[in-house]
Amino acid sequence: MNVLVWNENRHEKKNPVVSEIYPKGIHGAIANFLQEEHVTVNTATLDEDEHGLTEELLNKTDVLIWWGHIAHDEVQDEIVERVHKRVLDGMGLIVLHSGHFSKIFKKLMGTTCDLKWREADEKERLWVVDPSHPITEGLGEYIELEKEEMYGEHFDIPSPDELVFLSWFEGGEVFRSGAAYQRGKGKVFYFRPGHETYPTYYNQDIQRVIKNAVRWVNNANTPTPVYGNAKPLEAISKK
Protein backbone atom coordinates (compact mmCIF):
# COMPACT_ATOMS: atom_id res chain seq x y z
CA MET A 1 0.00 0.00 0.00
CA ASN A 2 1.26 3.49 -0.88
CA VAL A 3 0.31 6.25 1.59
CA LEU A 4 0.93 9.96 0.99
CA VAL A 5 0.81 12.36 3.95
CA TRP A 6 0.10 15.95 2.83
CA ASN A 7 0.54 18.95 5.12
CA GLU A 8 0.52 22.65 4.31
CA ASN A 9 3.53 22.92 6.70
CA ARG A 10 3.07 26.60 7.54
CA HIS A 11 2.57 26.60 11.33
CA GLU A 12 5.80 24.66 11.75
CA LYS A 13 7.69 27.50 10.01
CA LYS A 14 5.96 30.38 11.80
CA ASN A 15 5.15 29.21 15.32
CA PRO A 16 8.02 28.04 17.58
CA VAL A 17 5.57 26.12 19.78
CA VAL A 18 4.49 24.03 16.80
CA SER A 19 8.04 23.52 15.52
CA GLU A 20 9.10 22.32 18.97
CA ILE A 21 6.24 19.80 19.16
CA TYR A 22 6.64 18.66 15.55
CA PRO A 23 10.29 19.29 14.57
CA LYS A 24 9.82 17.25 11.37
CA GLY A 25 6.39 18.74 10.71
CA ILE A 26 2.98 17.24 11.39
CA HIS A 27 3.41 15.26 8.19
CA GLY A 28 6.72 13.88 9.47
CA ALA A 29 5.18 12.77 12.77
CA ILE A 30 2.30 10.99 11.03
CA ALA A 31 4.58 9.39 8.45
CA ASN A 32 6.85 8.16 11.24
CA PHE A 33 4.20 6.12 13.06
CA LEU A 34 2.69 4.84 9.82
CA GLN A 35 6.07 3.28 8.97
CA GLU A 36 5.27 0.77 11.71
CA GLU A 37 2.47 -0.58 9.50
CA HIS A 38 4.90 -1.78 6.83
CA VAL A 39 3.41 0.46 4.18
CA THR A 40 5.25 2.75 1.78
CA VAL A 41 4.88 6.31 3.09
CA ASN A 42 5.69 9.54 1.25
CA THR A 43 5.11 13.14 2.32
CA ALA A 44 4.24 16.30 0.40
CA THR A 45 3.77 19.94 1.39
CA LEU A 46 2.08 23.04 0.03
CA ASP A 47 5.21 24.92 -1.08
CA GLU A 48 6.52 22.12 -3.29
CA ASP A 49 5.95 22.27 -7.04
CA GLU A 50 2.32 21.32 -7.71
CA HIS A 51 2.02 21.18 -3.89
CA GLY A 52 3.84 17.87 -4.13
CA LEU A 53 0.71 16.34 -5.62
CA THR A 54 1.88 15.49 -9.11
CA GLU A 55 -0.21 13.26 -11.34
CA GLU A 56 2.53 10.65 -11.29
CA LEU A 57 2.63 10.49 -7.49
CA LEU A 58 -1.15 10.60 -7.02
CA ASN A 59 -1.64 7.81 -9.55
CA LYS A 60 0.60 5.63 -7.37
CA THR A 61 -1.12 6.66 -4.12
CA ASP A 62 -3.65 4.33 -2.49
CA VAL A 63 -4.37 6.58 0.53
CA LEU A 64 -3.92 10.34 0.89
CA ILE A 65 -3.88 11.95 4.35
CA TRP A 66 -4.61 15.71 4.40
CA TRP A 67 -3.78 18.33 7.07
CA GLY A 68 -4.34 22.03 6.37
CA HIS A 69 -5.39 25.15 8.27
CA ILE A 70 -4.24 28.68 7.40
CA ALA A 71 -3.51 28.28 3.69
CA HIS A 72 -6.54 26.51 2.23
CA ASP A 73 -6.97 29.26 -0.37
CA GLU A 74 -3.42 28.78 -1.64
CA VAL A 75 -4.15 25.27 -2.89
CA GLN A 76 -4.53 25.54 -6.65
CA ASP A 77 -7.93 24.59 -8.04
CA GLU A 78 -6.23 22.46 -10.69
CA ILE A 79 -4.64 20.34 -7.97
CA VAL A 80 -7.96 20.07 -6.12
CA GLU A 81 -9.56 18.73 -9.31
CA ARG A 82 -6.73 16.25 -9.67
CA VAL A 83 -7.18 14.93 -6.12
CA HIS A 84 -10.97 14.88 -6.50
CA LYS A 85 -10.72 12.72 -9.64
CA ARG A 86 -8.38 10.29 -7.88
CA VAL A 87 -10.82 9.92 -4.96
CA LEU A 88 -13.70 9.19 -7.33
CA ASP A 89 -11.45 6.68 -9.07
CA GLY A 90 -10.82 4.86 -5.79
CA MET A 91 -8.03 6.58 -3.83
CA GLY A 92 -8.79 6.70 -0.11
CA LEU A 93 -8.76 10.11 1.62
CA ILE A 94 -8.32 10.86 5.33
CA VAL A 95 -8.98 14.50 6.27
CA LEU A 96 -7.61 15.61 9.64
CA HIS A 97 -8.67 18.39 12.02
CA SER A 98 -8.89 21.79 10.28
CA GLY A 99 -8.73 20.06 6.92
CA HIS A 100 -12.53 20.15 7.21
CA PHE A 101 -12.27 23.59 5.55
CA SER A 102 -9.98 22.45 2.75
CA LYS A 103 -11.10 22.90 -0.84
CA ILE A 104 -10.99 19.16 -1.48
CA PHE A 105 -13.17 18.23 1.52
CA LYS A 106 -15.74 20.94 0.77
CA LYS A 107 -15.86 19.83 -2.87
CA LEU A 108 -16.44 16.22 -1.87
CA MET A 109 -19.09 17.14 0.71
CA GLY A 110 -20.88 19.79 -1.36
CA THR A 111 -21.47 21.96 1.75
CA THR A 112 -19.68 24.77 3.61
CA CYS A 113 -18.23 22.33 6.21
CA ASP A 114 -18.37 25.21 8.72
CA LEU A 115 -18.53 24.75 12.50
CA LYS A 116 -18.09 26.41 15.89
CA TRP A 117 -14.61 26.46 17.46
CA ARG A 118 -12.83 27.67 20.57
CA GLU A 119 -9.08 27.57 21.05
CA ALA A 120 -8.70 26.62 24.71
CA ASP A 121 -7.03 23.96 26.84
CA GLU A 122 -10.11 21.75 27.15
CA LYS A 123 -10.46 18.06 27.79
CA GLU A 124 -11.97 16.11 24.90
CA ARG A 125 -13.55 12.69 25.00
CA LEU A 126 -14.04 10.98 21.67
CA TRP A 127 -16.76 8.42 22.28
CA VAL A 128 -16.81 5.34 20.08
CA VAL A 129 -20.37 5.29 18.76
CA ASP A 130 -19.81 2.41 16.33
CA PRO A 131 -17.73 -0.20 18.17
CA SER A 132 -18.18 -2.66 15.29
CA HIS A 133 -16.47 -0.36 12.78
CA PRO A 134 -12.97 -1.44 11.64
CA ILE A 135 -11.60 2.05 12.39
CA THR A 136 -12.27 1.50 16.12
CA GLU A 137 -10.37 -1.79 16.34
CA GLY A 138 -8.16 -1.91 19.42
CA LEU A 139 -9.85 0.99 21.23
CA GLY A 140 -11.86 1.18 24.44
CA GLU A 141 -15.17 3.01 24.86
CA TYR A 142 -13.57 6.41 24.34
CA ILE A 143 -10.32 8.29 23.72
CA GLU A 144 -9.49 11.03 26.23
CA LEU A 145 -7.31 14.01 25.32
CA GLU A 146 -6.38 16.33 28.18
CA LYS A 147 -5.96 19.39 25.96
CA GLU A 148 -7.45 20.08 22.55
CA GLU A 149 -9.16 22.80 20.54
CA MET A 150 -12.95 22.70 20.74
CA TYR A 151 -15.02 22.06 17.63
CA GLY A 152 -18.79 22.27 18.11
CA GLU A 153 -22.04 21.65 16.29
CA HIS A 154 -23.57 22.54 14.02
CA PHE A 155 -21.01 20.96 11.69
CA ASP A 156 -22.26 21.69 8.17
CA ILE A 157 -21.55 18.35 6.51
CA PRO A 158 -23.90 15.83 4.90
CA SER A 159 -25.14 13.13 7.24
CA PRO A 160 -22.25 10.65 7.39
CA ASP A 161 -22.67 7.27 5.76
CA GLU A 162 -21.15 5.98 8.99
CA LEU A 163 -20.63 7.96 12.20
CA VAL A 164 -17.71 6.46 14.11
CA PHE A 165 -16.83 9.00 16.85
CA LEU A 166 -18.74 11.67 18.75
CA SER A 167 -16.75 14.15 20.85
CA TRP A 168 -17.66 15.85 24.11
CA PHE A 169 -15.76 18.90 25.41
CA GLU A 170 -15.51 20.44 28.88
CA GLY A 171 -17.40 23.50 27.67
CA GLY A 172 -20.41 21.30 27.02
CA GLU A 173 -20.26 21.05 23.23
CA VAL A 174 -20.46 17.85 21.23
CA PHE A 175 -19.14 17.22 17.73
CA ARG A 176 -19.26 14.53 15.05
CA SER A 177 -15.54 13.78 15.13
CA GLY A 178 -15.30 10.66 13.01
CA ALA A 179 -17.38 10.70 9.83
CA ALA A 180 -17.07 8.18 6.99
CA TYR A 181 -18.28 8.57 3.43
CA GLN A 182 -18.23 6.85 0.05
CA ARG A 183 -17.57 9.12 -2.94
CA GLY A 184 -17.47 7.33 -6.28
CA LYS A 185 -15.12 4.39 -5.77
CA GLY A 186 -13.26 6.20 -3.00
CA LYS A 187 -13.71 6.13 0.76
CA VAL A 188 -13.36 9.33 2.78
CA PHE A 189 -12.84 9.58 6.54
CA TYR A 190 -12.84 12.85 8.49
CA PHE A 191 -11.15 12.71 11.91
CA ARG A 192 -11.29 15.82 14.13
CA PRO A 193 -8.36 15.82 16.64
CA GLY A 194 -5.00 17.36 15.79
CA HIS A 195 -4.68 21.06 16.67
CA GLU A 196 -1.13 22.10 15.85
CA THR A 197 -0.15 23.39 19.33
CA TYR A 198 -0.95 20.10 21.07
CA PRO A 199 1.01 16.83 20.77
CA THR A 200 -2.13 14.95 19.71
CA TYR A 201 -0.46 12.89 16.98
CA TYR A 202 1.84 11.28 19.56
CA ASN A 203 -1.17 9.82 21.39
CA GLN A 204 -1.23 6.05 20.90
CA ASP A 205 -5.02 5.85 20.49
CA ILE A 206 -5.04 8.66 17.92
CA GLN A 207 -2.28 6.86 16.04
CA ARG A 208 -4.31 3.64 16.21
CA VAL A 209 -7.34 5.36 14.66
CA ILE A 210 -5.29 6.76 11.78
CA LYS A 211 -3.60 3.40 11.17
CA ASN A 212 -6.99 1.67 11.16
CA ALA A 213 -8.44 4.36 8.89
CA VAL A 214 -5.62 3.91 6.39
CA ARG A 215 -6.53 0.24 6.05
CA TRP A 216 -10.25 1.00 5.87
CA VAL A 217 -10.11 3.68 3.15
CA ASN A 218 -7.70 1.65 1.03
CA ASN A 219 -9.81 0.59 -1.91
CA ALA A 220 -7.13 -0.35 -4.42
CA ASN A 221 -8.61 -3.69 -5.50
CA THR A 222 -12.14 -2.47 -6.20
CA PRO A 223 -13.09 -3.18 -9.83
CA THR A 224 -13.90 -0.26 -12.10
CA PRO A 225 -17.55 -0.17 -13.24
CA VAL A 226 -18.34 0.03 -16.94
CA TYR A 227 -20.57 2.95 -17.92
CA GLY A 228 -22.32 4.08 -21.07
CA ASN A 229 -24.29 2.27 -23.77
CA ALA A 230 -24.44 -1.39 -22.75
CA LYS A 231 -24.97 -4.43 -24.94
CA PRO A 232 -27.23 -7.25 -23.66
CA LEU A 233 -25.47 -9.78 -21.49
CA GLU A 234 -24.66 -12.96 -23.37
CA ALA A 235 -26.78 -15.11 -21.07
CA ILE A 236 -29.79 -12.89 -21.62
CA SER A 237 -29.34 -12.58 -25.39
CA LYS A 238 -29.53 -16.36 -25.87
CA LYS A 239 -32.97 -16.56 -24.30
Side-chain angles (χ1 to χ4, degrees), residues 129-147:
V129 295
D130 187 355
S132 66
H133 201 285
I135 289 177
T136 70
E137 181 181 346
L139 301 177
E141 290 188 332
Y142 60 84
I143 300 170
E144 187 160 292
L145 301 174
E146 286 300 320
K147 294 181 180 180

Side-chain angles (χ1 to χ4, degrees), residues 3-7 22 24-37 39 41-43 65-67 94 96 193-194 200-202 206-207 210-211 214:
V3 180
L4 178 60
V5 184
W6 190 91
N7 173 26
Y22 296 110
K24 296 183 178 179
I26 290 172
H27 54 296
I30 294 172
N32 185 62
F33 69 73
L34 286 178
Q35 297 284 0
E36 302 169 2
E37 298 298 286
V39 298
V41 185
N42 290 299
T43 62
I65 299 175
W66 191 283
W67 197 102
I94 300 171
L96 299 174
T200 300
Y201 293 120
Y202 296 112
I206 299 300
Q207 292 183 4
I210 295 173
K211 290 176 181 179
V214 164

Side-chain angles (χ1 to χ4, degrees), residues 226-239:
V226 177
Y227 298 106
N229 190 10
K231 297 179 181 179
L233 296 174
E234 183 179 355
I236 297 175
S237 63
K238 290 181 179 179
K239 292 182 179 178

Side-chain angles (χ1 to χ4, degrees), residues 34-83:
L34 286 178
Q35 297 284 0
E36 302 169 2
E37 298 298 286
H38 306 293
V39 298
T40 300
V41 185
N42 290 299
T43 62
T45 57
L46 178 67
D47 291 329
E48 296 176 38
D49 290 343
E50 301 183 62
H51 309 321
L53 299 170
T54 64
E55 285 194 31
E56 180 181 6
L57 183 56
L58 280 176
N59 287 338
K60 296 177 182 178
T61 299
D62 300 308
V63 176
L64 173 63
I65 299 175
W66 191 283
W67 197 102
H69 186 198
I70 57 174
H72 297 311
D73 290 345
E74 295 183 41
V75 178
Q76 299 172 24
D77 292 341
E78 177 185 354
I79 306 301
V80 175
E81 291 293 335
R82 184 181 297 171
V83 174

Side-chain angles (χ1 to χ4, degrees), residues 56-197:
E56 180 181 6
L57 183 56
L58 280 176
N59 287 338
K60 296 177 182 178
T61 299
D62 300 308
V63 176
L64 173 63
I65 299 175
W66 191 283
W67 197 102
H69 186 198
I70 57 174
H72 297 311
D73 290 345
E74 295 183 41
V75 178
Q76 299 172 24
D77 292 341
E78 177 185 354
I79 306 301
V80 175
E81 291 293 335
R82 184 181 297 171
V83 174
H84 183 262
K85 182 179 184 300
R86 281 291 295 123
V87 172
L88 297 185
D89 287 344
M91 181 182 71
L93 177 66
I94 300 171
V95 177
L96 299 174
H97 191 57
S98 45
H100 72 92
F101 231 36
S102 63
K103 288 182 178 180
I104 182 59
F105 190 63
K106 290 196 287 187
K107 183 176 180 65
L108 286 163
M109 296 298 104
T111 58
T112 70
C113 299
D114 215 341
L115 47 79
K116 294 184 179 71
W117 61 272
R118 180 172 59 251
E119 193 169 339
D121 293 345
E122 292 190 38
K123 181 183 293 185
E124 176 182 6
R125 279 186 181 172
L126 295 105
W127 288 92
V128 175
V129 295
D130 187 355
S132 66
H133 201 285
I135 289 177
T136 70
E137 181 181 346
L139 301 177
E141 290 188 332
Y142 60 84
I143 300 170
E144 187 160 292
L145 301 174
E146 286 300 320
K147 294 181 180 180
E148 252 294 352
E149 180 181 27
M150 187 282 293
Y151 278 9
E153 296 287 347
H154 176 244
F155 187 15
D156 187 23
I157 54 174
S159 295
D161 296 334
E162 300 170 283
L163 182 61
V164 185
F165 296 100
L166 181 70
S167 282
W168 163 88
F169 295 88
E170 281 188 275
E173 292 85 1
V174 296
F175 189 77
R176 289 167 288 170
S177 287
Y181 298 90
Q182 184 87 29
R183 291 292 184 267
K185 287 177 57 185
K187 291 181 177 179
V188 179
F189 181 62
Y190 172 75
F191 190 46
R192 196 218 69 82
H195 187 63
E196 65 276 1
T197 59

